[in-house]
């Protein structure tokens, strides 16, 4: 383990102490578990976004035959405020 130092709001520390006492674990363990959960949630969110984006690939058709060659023109037309 690596020792580190953090700063908490007084209310955060109070609530962490209460939780540690209720669970019968150290304050450090409460914080480690919270960090693990945040990292897991972030990883799952990234994976979900990637899966969702990949799931959309090829699901829609514009009817245009030259999008791969003229994509800049199409994007310019789409965002032109005329």
């Amino acid at each position: 383990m690596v020792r580190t130092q953090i700063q908490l709001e007084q209310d955060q520390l109070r609530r962490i102490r209460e939780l540690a006492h209720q669970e019968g674990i150290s304050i450090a363990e409460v914080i480690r578990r919270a960090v693990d959960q945040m990292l897991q949630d972030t990883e799952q969110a990234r994976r979900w976004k990637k899966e969702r984006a990949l799931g959309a690939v090829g699901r829609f058709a514009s009817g245009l035959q030259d999008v791969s060659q003229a994509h800049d023109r199409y994007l310019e037309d789409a965002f032109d405020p005329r």
Side-chain angles (χ1 to χ4, degrees):
M1 294 226 186
V2 177
R3 185 176 184 89
T4 189
Q5 187 174 22
I6 62 170
Q7 293 180 307
L8 300 170
E9 300 289 334
Q10 284 188 355
D11 186 57
Q12 290 174 318
L13 182 56
R14 178 188 59 76
R15 293 169 64 193
I16 290 171
R17 280 185 176 146
E18 287 175 8
L19 184 57
H21 179 72
Q22 290 170 0
E23 298 289 322
I25 58 177
S26 68
I27 291 171
E29 182 62 21
V30 170
I31 293 170
R32 282 192 293 269
R33 289 179 184 184
V35 169
D36 283 343
Q37 186 64 54
M38 188 268 317
L39 293 172
Q40 182 180 359
D41 292 350
T42 301
E43 184 179 315
Q44 286 177 345
R46 285 186 184 141
R47 193 172 27 244
W48 178 79
K49 287 178 186 177
K50 180 180 177 182
E51 289 170 1
R52 192 167 169 212
L54 289 174
V57 172
R59 294 185 66 193
F60 305 96
S62 66
L64 302 170
Q65 301 298 315
D66 63 344
V67 174
S68 65
Q69 295 160 341
H71 52 79
D72 288 341
R73 182 169 45 88
Y74 289 120
L75 287 172
E76 182 180 300
D77 292 346
F79 293 103
D80 189 0
R82 287 185 248 169

